[in-house]
Amino acid sequence: MAPSTIDRRTALKSLAAGTAALTVPRVFDPVAAAAPAARGIFGYGVASGDPTGTSLVIWTRATPPASPGQAVAAPGSGLGKPLQVRWEVARDENFRDVVARGTVRTSADTDHTLKVDVTGLAPYTRYHYRFESRGETSPVGHTRTAPDVPGEVHALRLALVSCSNYTGGFFTAYRAIAARDDLDLVLHVGDYIYEYPNGYGRYGPPELVGVRDHQPEGETIDLEGYRLRHALHKADPDAQAAHRALPWITIFDDHEVTNNAWADGAGNHQGDEGDYLARREAALQAYLEWMPFRLPDQSEPHQGTQFFKRFTFGALAELSVLETRQNRSEQASSPLSPIDGFIPLGNPATDAVIADPTRHLAEPQQLQWLKDGLAAQGRPWHLVGNQVMVTPVRYPGVALGLPGTFVNADQWDGYAVDQAALLGHLAALAAQPASAGAVVLTGDIHSSWGADLPVAVGPTGTYTAVGVEFVTPSVTSDGFYEIVRNFFPSFSAEQAVGATGQVTGAVRQANPWVRYLNGIGHGYTVIDVTPQRVQADFHHTPVPTSASPDPRIDPNAMPVYAASMQTLAGSRRVSTASGPVGPRADEPA
Ligand SMILES: [Fe+2]
């Protein structure tokens, strides 16, 4: 979801009016991205990712110590000599039972980041890892291989997150995830960073100006900028804690490059910003350097670099992680767009673009790979890590005080042929009782949803459900509540909460397959998978009040349990769950 032109304008107006009062304590270093480089070799923490039953990627950034009189090798600087780094992985936190170790060299070529794909590990097992160089030892990272024992069913519980805009607020969702002791992994489905600048075009509450500013100052366009922006996120103490605690599976969406990206351009890429493909190459290089991401072995037919990949969890589930930006067709657009990316239906020209069979979200080869994965039998669930909503959503204009009906052209709704192909495939699978239940896990829209995936929608709103989609709220990016506040700046927080409820209520009414929608809370979603059901527990920041109209600017506003939805095996639809998930059925070794 993009910031609307209105909320940017409002933010600017607020700044101009001097309302950017620094009421928020300056709890973190204002030059956070570069500061850890001066604090020691491993100031950016450690991370692990892409767990399989037998392997894990471990990651760190090793800053070479500066010689007297020399500049520190800050991220993006290209400075600093190569460094040898030792790594070790152990079964115990004291590293008495080391199961793997080695030495790697890192240099300015990779911005002094390094990754090791540690193999030969035991499935569903806890491990601890650390790095050492020049007598300095990194913080100890805690991780675990996937609950992926062939033929066996073990517990599977993950935290689903998206849209972590640094200037949007504190990463309390990450802090809450790090504090839990019941998760196997974190799944981040995109917008891990945002490309926006601090000044004109800043995205986020004006109260955080000077408190949580982006580095670099300007929009990220080149390799140096993307590296520094990633470093900023690895400097955040809450992000560090969540990376140190659990393995992450991640995939980029548009903002890791720039807003509303498509195959060879983007909504937020202008001609004076240089060649778009060169920009994307720089952005993805920095992403691969700074994320604990294992590039797949390029074994699937695809166009460009293959980023989409699949994970297995024993006899319980598979997870297909999509990548829908590199090859997508340009979004349909309309001069009648009230909010960036939303376009009215009923206009023959834009309707024809949306229905054009030559336009794609994922390239045809990737869509076929997804369909094949969904059709595989033998496990009760097939999870899909996905960037933008699959569920058809018709936004009634009345919610915005406008006539007509709108769709978000950046979601699957904007690519009607691909959307129909996927839903039609799920409908065919639904007729086969042995096929897996499809559970799509999505972010992007900065709000919490539980929806049936509908086919055969009738004029009175009747439909057949063929799977479900759970959508996680943003960690910090503006959602419906913030958009309402920006439209109606005179509203109290309570009025804005009420108006947001009216908007989301109208959206639900227009889309009866949407069973849950919250446009107010930020946070994360726990996804718990058992053979009997998949449950989504939404965890939200406190409901805003006049005393705290924007909890995102409160460094202590932790997300707490808010609501649960589920899908029962065989039902292929969403129902309400009675309460939050309890203890896990079993624990990793
Ligand atoms: Fe986002």
Side-chain angles (χ1 to χ4, degrees), residues 1 163 191 194 444 446:
M1 192 191 220
C163 299
D191 295 356
Y194 281 73
D444 177 66
H446 307 172

Side-chain angles (χ1 to χ4, degrees), residues 135-373:
E136 277 187 45
T137 306
S138 75
V140 174
H142 310 286
T143 189
R144 53 187 68 190
T145 46
D148 184 28
V149 185
E152 294 184 15
V153 169
H154 293 286
L156 173 60
R157 188 174 294 179
L158 60 91
L160 177 66
V161 284
S162 81
C163 299
S164 32
N165 174 31
Y166 188 86
T167 54
F170 293 93
F171 291 162
T172 56
Y174 289 167
R175 199 184 315 158
I177 288 167
R180 295 183 72 110
D181 61 358
D182 65 339
L183 299 172
D184 294 295
L185 60 98
V186 177
L187 175 60
H188 196 302
V189 289
D191 295 356
Y192 180 89
I193 64 165
Y194 281 73
E195 79 278 16
Y196 294 122
N198 288 323
Y200 180 81
R202 184 186 171 102
Y203 184 32
E207 292 88 342
L208 293 180
V209 171
V211 179
R212 273 178 86 78
D213 289 338
H214 266 146
Q215 284 190 357
E217 282 282 329
E219 185 171 318
T220 51
I221 293 168
D222 56 13
L223 182 59
E224 180 182 347
Y226 284 109
R227 283 172 161 172
L228 194 56
R229 189 61 57 88
H230 272 281
L232 177 70
H233 292 68
K234 291 294 187 298
D236 179 89
D238 294 323
Q240 285 197 355
H243 279 296
R244 201 165 58 237
L246 289 164
W248 289 40
I249 294 173
T250 70
I251 186 67
F252 55 86
D253 193 20
D254 53 341
H255 287 288
E256 283 86 348
V257 183
T258 190
N259 184 47
N260 282 2
W262 71 87
D264 52 11
N268 190 32
H269 182 80
Q270 284 76 44
D272 62 356
E273 293 173 323
D275 176 55
Y276 174 73
L277 293 181
R279 179 182 188 174
R280 186 175 75 188
E281 191 177 327
L284 296 185
Q285 180 180 333
Y287 185 86
L288 288 174
E289 289 170 347
W290 281 85
M291 300 300 284
F293 185 99
R294 180 191 296 116
L295 197 62
D297 59 10
Q298 312 296 305
S299 59
E300 296 295 330
H302 63 282
Q303 296 170 32
T305 302
Q306 183 198 336
F307 287 92
F308 57 90
K309 51 186 160 182
R310 188 165 288 143
F311 296 84
T312 55
F313 302 101
L316 180 64
E318 284 190 300
L319 167 65
S320 294
V321 180
L322 307 184
E323 184 276 297
T324 55
R325 288 291 168 185
Q326 273 193 118
N327 291 306
R328 73 153 70 194
S329 310
E330 184 172 355
Q331 293 84 350
S333 60
S334 163
L336 302 174
S337 169
I339 296 178
D340 196 6
F342 286 76
I343 62 169
L345 288 178
N347 177 312
T350 47
D351 286 1
V353 173
I354 286 174
D356 179 351
T358 68
R359 293 175 68 254
H360 295 288
L361 186 78
E363 70 275 30
Q365 300 97 322
Q366 185 182 168
L367 196 55
Q368 187 58 50
W369 169 86
L370 173 62
K371 287 180 179 177
D372 292 345

